[in-house]
Amino acid sequence: MDARPDSRPNLGPDAGRGGAVAALVAVPFLFPLAGGPFVSAWQSVAGGLCLLVLFLVAPRARPARGLILCLGMAAACVLVSPRGPIAVWPVWTALVALAVEAWVGAGIGQARGAALASWAMGIVLAGCASAALGLVQYVGAADLLGGLAVVPAEGLGMAYGNLRQRNQLASLLCLALVAGLWLHGRASPVARRGLAAAALLLIAALAASTSRTGLLQFVLIVAGAAWLAWRERRETSRGPRPWLPHPLWLLAALPLYALAAWLLPRLASGSGSVEGMMARLREGAPPGHSRLVLWRNVVELIAQHPWRGWGWGELSYAHYSHLYAGERFVEILDNAHNLPLHLAVTLGIPAALAICGGFVWMVLRARPWAERDPARIMVWGLLGVIVLHSLLEYPLWYAPFQLVFGLSLGFLWPGRPRVSSKPNGPFAPVLPALTAIISIAFLVLVAWDYTRVSQIYLPRDERLPAWRTHTLDQLRGRSWFFGDAVKFAELTLTPVTRDNAAAMDGLAGEMLHFSPEPRVVVKRIQAASLLGHDDEVQAQLARFRAAYPEDYLRWLGGLPPP
């Protein structure tokens, strides 16, 4: 990296706005509230609200036309794909959010200064706070934090902050390490010591997460940063102070991680009952849970509908309904855990090639391997962490990672700066605020609808007073955005009888596309049996036996309840 004097701007009078930017980036990662039929729903609402406020307070600029074209192509592919009963409005919302994030990211890329530093600081703060929460969870003390942290069901040895997945915690920690390395270059000696302490905290929490994805990301970050530090010292041996720490200090992070991975399980439990990273690497995934089995299943599904896919949101039904020739991934599968494969199985191979090919073309044209600007190198690192995670899971389905991803896209692919700063019309100055107000109103509407629908998923005494009686009757057919969640509750709460068999058969068939879990399958079988649909009964029994063998035997009475 080149430690250029103009790459170290002062915060100046924008410190207050910079603090707001940092907070708006950090809050979605730390948001603790969850509930209702979708675990990440409230996190998405919080992330959307933070994005809209960020749109108002952060600099904005037009992203590159190629980036807008790629987002538009993704929207077109969703539009023309076969759509099942799962509504696609969340996809449209996510694509619009990515466009807004890219707009803000392009503005940060042009403004640099306080906005860029605040973005990086927000990621570091989110990472450090989540690391502290994760370590508290790891030793089984999360209940002492009240509602500030999620309490893992495992008790000991599980760390994931408020992100509820250890791979997500690991990716956040790696994002924080990347941002911290950039902040190190522009920090004072005292601040550098603080960043070093933060790095120790992040590495310890990364080891506590026992995430193999995180370990891979960490090794690549350390190796890449050490190479950049070596290149920097070779090219600027007599120039200004180096931007990055010495390569040997960076490489020392690897044995430090190994020490933490060995020590933490012993500190958490002297009996050795806590699974450590070494055990996870040695034992691998349980039978039927490995990524290779999952990806083989997805490839087989792609072969069934290669051109247009199964439809967005239809993977869980496709996985349940298909009788595989070989080993089967044993869990409900609603994502391919690999973004190109997921696009191929839901939208078809041509759409996947168009979307992924467009992104790869943009990356190759940008030539990240030739970068010398420290800020752009940092953002390439942020993007790389999320892209690598997207090849193994689906972080872009969660608001905080989508926010960082969208900001990175806009930063790396900004549009050309305008020559004139004059507004395009009389309403141009108020247009951003008006857009944000309308979007916030939409978010409030979604949040209110979700609040109503969530009541049926709560014990009666925990529901809001207006929904404690006749809850299902009040919700049936009245949800604007979460109608499938209401139908699912209706199906699971209603016994199948001869009088309602026809209605329940149709409802169960529809809900198999929403969540094809055992209790939905049982309702389908019961209703079809009462209607005399023997072929349907036999087909569902075969799928039930293949997809959920233990639940099938338990339903037949061959196994005791779990």
Side-chain angles (χ1 to χ4, degrees):
M1 293 186 181
D2 298 329
R4 303 169 186 168
D6 61 352
S7 295
R8 304 168 189 254
N10 295 320
L11 291 179
D14 292 332
R17 180 171 295 187
V21 170
L24 292 168
V25 171
V27 164
F29 286 105
L30 303 172
F31 193 74
L33 182 61
F38 307 106
V39 174
S40 63
W42 286 116
Q43 182 193 61
S44 298
V45 171
L49 183 59
C50 288
L51 171 60
L52 292 172
V53 179
L54 190 64
F55 180 71
L56 292 177
V57 303
R60 300 180 300 273
R62 188 186 303 275
R65 291 181 180 178
L67 178 57
I68 297 175
L69 180 62
C70 280
L71 293 176
M73 181 168 55
C77 290
V78 173
L79 178 65
V80 301
S81 72
R83 287 176 289 180
I86 302 297
V88 297
W89 71 267
V91 186
W92 294 102
T93 304
L95 291 172
V96 171
L98 275 177
V100 175
E101 290 153 3
W103 206 278
V104 176
I108 293 175
Q110 291 186 11
R112 301 292 178 104
L116 178 58
S118 300
W119 177 21
M121 184 56 69
I123 295 174
V124 171
L125 291 175
C128 289
S130 295
L133 292 177
L135 290 172
V136 171
Q137 291 169 332
Y138 190 82
V139 298
D143 54 343
L144 300 179
L145 298 177
L148 295 177
V150 176
V151 179
E154 293 81 2
L156 281 177
M158 183 60 70
Y160 43 58
N162 285 337
L163 294 170
R164 295 175 178 80
Q165 290 185 25
R166 52 187 167 193
N167 284 345
Q168 290 195 22
L169 173 63
S171 284
L172 169 58
L173 300 176
C174 289
L175 291 172
L177 286 170
V178 171
L181 286 171
W182 179 78
L183 288 170
H184 173 275
R186 63 192 305 276
S188 66
V190 174
R192 285 189 171 190
R193 287 194 286 273
L195 287 170
L200 294 177
L201 175 64
L202 295 170
I203 292 171
L206 187 60
S209 74
T210 66
S211 166
R212 291 167 293 192
T213 299
L215 176 58
L216 176 59
Q217 293 167 331
F218 179 63
V219 170
L220 292 175
I221 289 170
V222 170
W227 177 77
L228 288 170
W230 172 81
R231 186 185 72 175
E232 176 187 32
R233 282 161 173 78
R234 186 189 64 176
E235 295 178 351
T236 60
S237 57
R238 297 184 181 179
R241 67 173 181 170
W243 193 277
L244 290 170
H246 193 279
L248 293 180
W249 281 112
L250 292 167
L251 293 173
L254 296 176
L256 184 62
Y257 175 94
L259 176 63
W262 176 83
L263 186 60
L264 283 171
R266 289 160 176 79
L267 293 177
S269 173
S271 63
S273 59
V274 172
E275 181 187 46
M277 188 66 198
M278 304 306 175
R280 289 204 76 208
L281 291 173
R282 182 175 58 251
E283 297 170 6
H289 288 78
S290 76
R291 292 286 192 278
L292 293 179
V293 173
L294 188 160
W295 290 334
R296 281 197 295 266
N297 287 177
V298 171
V299 169
E300 192 169 328
L301 292 175
I302 292 172
Q304 300 296 311
H305 298 284
W307 300 114
R308 298 187 64 201
W310 287 76
W312 194 265
E314 291 292 294
L315 178 55
S316 57
Y317 174 76
H319 180 59
Y320 161 73
S321 64
H322 185 69
L323 300 176
Y324 296 98
E327 187 178 5
R328 182 187 190 95
F329 187 72
V330 299
E331 299 180 14
I332 295 176
L333 184 60
D334 56 4
N335 196 285
H337 290 66
N338 177 282
L339 184 57
L341 283 180
H342 189 77
L343 294 174
V345 75
T346 56
L347 302 179
I349 294 176
L353 289 175
I355 297 171
C356 297
F359 179 74
V360 171
W361 174 76
M362 289 172 57
V363 170
L364 292 177
R365 286 200 61 186
R367 303 177 72 242
W369 56 86
E371 284 287 1
R372 291 295 189 272
D373 179 3
R376 286 183 62 85
I377 292 175
M378 176 195 70
V379 179
W380 278 116
L382 299 178
L383 189 68
V385 168
I386 297 176
V387 168
L388 178 58
H389 193 174
S390 297
L391 296 178
L392 300 168
E393 273 190 345
Y394 45 104
L396 293 179
W397 271 243
Y398 297 90
F401 294 98
Q402 186 190 104
L403 175 61
V404 175
F405 182 77
L407 292 175
S408 300
L409 291 179
F411 188 96
L412 294 171
W413 288 281
R416 295 180 179 178
R418 295 183 179 179
V419 177
S420 174
S421 60
K422 294 181 180 180
N424 292 331
F427 299 104
V430 300
L431 193 57
L434 182 61
T435 302
I437 291 172
I438 294 173
S439 300
I440 290 173
F442 173 77
L443 264 181
V444 170
L445 191 63
V446 171
W448 171 242
D449 193 33
Y450 187 73
T451 300
R452 294 190 308 158
V453 171
S454 298
Q455 302 307 303
I456 196 66
Y457 290 86
L458 295 172
R460 188 179 300 274
D461 58 349
E462 295 182 16
R463 298 173 188 171
L464 295 175
W467 282 277
R468 285 180 182 167
T469 59
H470 307 292
T471 310
L472 184 59
D473 292 336
Q474 293 188 67
L475 295 174
R476 188 185 290 112
R478 297 180 182 179
S479 174
W480 305 305
F481 304 103
F482 304 101
D484 285 330
V486 176
K487 293 178 182 178
F488 180 82
E490 179 179 5
L491 177 71
T492 54
L493 294 174
T494 306
V496 179
T497 65
R498 292 191 178 276
D499 293 335
N500 67 6
M504 293 294 286
D505 182 61
L507 183 59
E510 185 178 347
M511 289 300 98
L512 282 175
H513 294 263
F514 176 72
S515 181
E517 54 194 77
R519 52 182 170 173
V520 176
V521 179
V522 168
K523 296 280 188 177
R524 176 75 164 179
I525 293 172
Q526 291 173 341
S529 178
L530 289 175
L531 293 172
H533 299 166
D534 295 336
D535 291 343
E536 178 64 20
V537 170
Q538 293 305 315
Q540 294 300 330
L541 286 173
R543 294 168 178 167
F544 192 10
R545 184 168 55 247
Y548 312 110
E550 290 188 4
D551 293 280
Y552 176 76
L553 291 176
R554 193 172 291 117
W555 178 62
L556 292 178
L559 285 178

